[in-house]
């Protein structure tokens, strides 16, 4: 049975939450206060600059957001598509539908239309697939956490990521989107990952790239078959 996407569902992507990018925390607090009304939330991946359940430093650093998401998940349906910065999340979010990379796309229905949802880093070269398996390997991550004395590994990762420039205009993105649409057997394709916030129609197949919350300060609301970008 397919997941049904509700009218007024909200999609949020690529907030890359850290001490500089606070938009995801602001968004969650607005949902909690009902300033943003939500019955169904889709987190499209890379919501944190980095987190995995094995990385104790990052779990502790992001505990406030983890608590907020878990609180919201008691009354709101939340679907979390793991990205390339946030994975092995199931134990952190017991009431959230967490979808691993290898199980993406998630197939859903919206008004009798078939919808494929993924973070956007699938259908990639074999070398990247191998890399993804290595960095998600639980024994390896547990070992790295064990030798992470004074959090020196975690802090190196954190401060390397925080310096990265992740917001830019992707020239030729329409060409990439057209190629990616061909990978999916669906009427609509919804992805994050690329930080572009653009929509295209290719031979009656609709491609929607959810904007990056940290770059565009926008999330997306599905209303009457329109993907409406909303300023945070």
């Amino acid at each position: 049975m397919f997941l049904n996407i509700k009218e007024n569902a909200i999609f949020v992507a690529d907030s890359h939450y850290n001490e500089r990018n606070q938009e995801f925390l602001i968004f969650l607090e607005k949902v909690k206060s009902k300033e943003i009304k939500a019955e169904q939330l889709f987190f499209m991946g890379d919501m944190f600059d980095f987190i995995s359940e094995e990385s104790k430093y990052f779990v502790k650093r992001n505990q406030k957001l983890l608590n907020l998401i878990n609180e919201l998940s008691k009354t709101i349906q939340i679907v979390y598509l793991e990205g390339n910065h946030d994975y092995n999340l199931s134990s952190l979010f017991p009431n959230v539908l967490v979808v691993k990379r290898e199980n993406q796309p998630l197939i859903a229905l919206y008004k009798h239309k078939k919808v494929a949802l993924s973070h956007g880093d699938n259908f990639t070269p074999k070398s990247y697939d191998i890399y993804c398996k290595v960095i998600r390997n639980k024994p390896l991550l547990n070992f790295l956490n064990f030798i992470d004395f004074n959090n020196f590994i975690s802090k190196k990762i954190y401060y390397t990521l925080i310096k990265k420039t992740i917001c830019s205009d992707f020239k030729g993105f329409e060409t990439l989107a057209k190629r990616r649409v061909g990978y999916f057997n669906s009427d609509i394709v919804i992805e994050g990952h690329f930080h572009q916030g653009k929509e295209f129609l290719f031979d009656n197949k609709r491609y929607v790239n959810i904007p990056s919350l940290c770059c565009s300060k926008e999330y997306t609301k599905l209303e009457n078959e329109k993907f409406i970008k909303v300023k945070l």
Side-chain angles (χ1 to χ4, degrees), residues 157-170:
I157 293 170
Y158 181 83
Y159 289 107
T160 298
L161 288 172
I162 207 170
K163 293 175 185 175
K164 287 183 68 175
T165 300
I166 61 172
C167 303
S168 62
D169 183 35
F170 190 152

Side-chain angles (χ1 to χ4, degrees), residues 56-114:
K56 304 307 179 188
Y57 171 83
F58 287 97
V59 170
K60 184 177 180 180
R61 190 168 194 111
N62 293 294
Q63 193 63 58
K64 183 175 182 179
L65 277 79
L66 302 184
N67 292 343
L68 265 172
I69 292 170
N70 282 322
E71 182 179 351
L72 292 172
S73 70
K74 294 175 182 177
T75 56
I76 298 171
Q77 184 180 33
I78 299 178
V79 179
Y80 197 132
L81 300 160
E82 292 187 344
N84 49 303
H85 286 250
D86 42 2
Y87 42 80
N88 297 354
L89 302 179
S90 294
S91 69
L92 298 178
F93 302 120
N95 297 315
V96 173
L97 175 58
V98 176
V99 185
K100 290 181 170 293
R101 178 180 182 267
E102 57 265 31
N103 296 326
Q104 298 176 27
L106 171 69
I107 303 301
L109 291 176
Y110 173 68
K111 293 189 175 181
H112 306 293
K113 291 184 178 179
K114 193 174 178 182

Side-chain angles (χ1 to χ4, degrees), residues 50 52-60 137-154 157:
F50 181 75
S52 75
E53 63 187 18
E54 299 85 3
S55 303
K56 304 307 179 188
Y57 171 83
F58 287 97
V59 170
K60 184 177 180 180
N137 182 272
K138 286 179 177 289
L140 174 61
L141 289 171
N142 282 322
F143 173 72
L144 291 174
N145 186 70
F146 178 72
I147 64 170
D148 192 16
F149 303 114
N150 296 318
N151 302 311
F152 79 99
I153 298 174
S154 295
I157 293 170

Side-chain angles (χ1 to χ4, degrees), residues 6-228:
K6 298 179 181 180
E7 191 68 20
N8 299 315
I10 290 176
F11 301 81
V12 191
D14 300 277
S15 51
H16 289 269
Y17 176 80
N18 57 35
E19 65 189 67
R20 287 176 54 190
N21 303 327
Q22 294 284 300
E23 292 82 8
F24 193 33
L25 174 60
I26 295 168
F27 172 83
L28 293 172
E29 288 178 334
K30 286 187 175 184
V31 173
K32 181 181 177 181
S33 70
K34 295 186 168 46
E35 181 179 343
I36 295 175
K37 294 179 173 58
E39 293 183 15
Q40 189 180 48
L41 292 173
F42 289 87
F43 297 154
M44 302 299 297
D46 288 1
M47 308 311 298
F48 299 86
D49 219 14
F50 181 75
I51 196 169
S52 75
E53 63 187 18
E54 299 85 3
S55 303
K56 304 307 179 188
Y57 171 83
F58 287 97
V59 170
K60 184 177 180 180
R61 190 168 194 111
N62 293 294
Q63 193 63 58
K64 183 175 182 179
L65 277 79
L66 302 184
N67 292 343
L68 265 172
I69 292 170
N70 282 322
E71 182 179 351
L72 292 172
S73 70
K74 294 175 182 177
T75 56
I76 298 171
Q77 184 180 33
I78 299 178
V79 179
Y80 197 132
L81 300 160
E82 292 187 344
N84 49 303
H85 286 250
D86 42 2
Y87 42 80
N88 297 354
L89 302 179
S90 294
S91 69
L92 298 178
F93 302 120
N95 297 315
V96 173
L97 175 58
V98 176
V99 185
K100 290 181 170 293
R101 178 180 182 267
E102 57 265 31
N103 296 326
Q104 298 176 27
L106 171 69
I107 303 301
L109 291 176
Y110 173 68
K111 293 189 175 181
H112 306 293
K113 291 184 178 179
K114 193 174 178 182
V115 182
L117 302 106
S118 67
H119 172 60
D121 69 331
N122 47 0
F123 302 107
T124 51
K126 197 74 173 177
S127 57
Y128 184 77
D129 289 338
I130 294 170
Y131 163 77
C132 286
K133 288 180 180 178
V134 170
I135 65 171
R136 288 164 172 78
N137 182 272
K138 286 179 177 289
L140 174 61
L141 289 171
N142 282 322
F143 173 72
L144 291 174
N145 186 70
F146 178 72
I147 64 170
D148 192 16
F149 303 114
N150 296 318
N151 302 311
F152 79 99
I153 298 174
S154 295
K155 287 179 179 178
K156 178 68 174 177
I157 293 170
Y158 181 83
Y159 289 107
T160 298
L161 288 172
I162 207 170
K163 293 175 185 175
K164 287 183 68 175
T165 300
I166 61 172
C167 303
S168 62
D169 183 35
F170 190 152
K171 298 191 185 305
F173 181 64
E174 184 173 357
T175 301
L176 174 64
K178 186 174 184 179
R179 184 168 73 247
R180 288 194 61 77
V181 158
Y183 299 140
F184 301 90
N185 179 24
S186 62
D187 303 297
I188 304 171
V189 176
I190 305 175
E191 296 188 310
H193 188 54
F194 301 107
H195 303 183
Q196 299 304 295
K198 295 181 179 179
E199 183 176 342
F200 304 104
L201 189 65
F202 304 113
D203 299 324
N204 295 318
K205 291 182 74 172
R206 197 171 176 186
Y207 179 89
V208 181
N209 183 242
I210 304 300
S212 163
L213 187 65
C214 75
C215 295
S216 304
K217 313 295 188 273
E218 293 174 322
Y219 59 92
T220 299
K221 186 174 183 179
L222 178 55
E223 188 175 328
N224 296 322
E225 301 189 46
K226 294 181 180 179
F227 290 88
I228 301 168

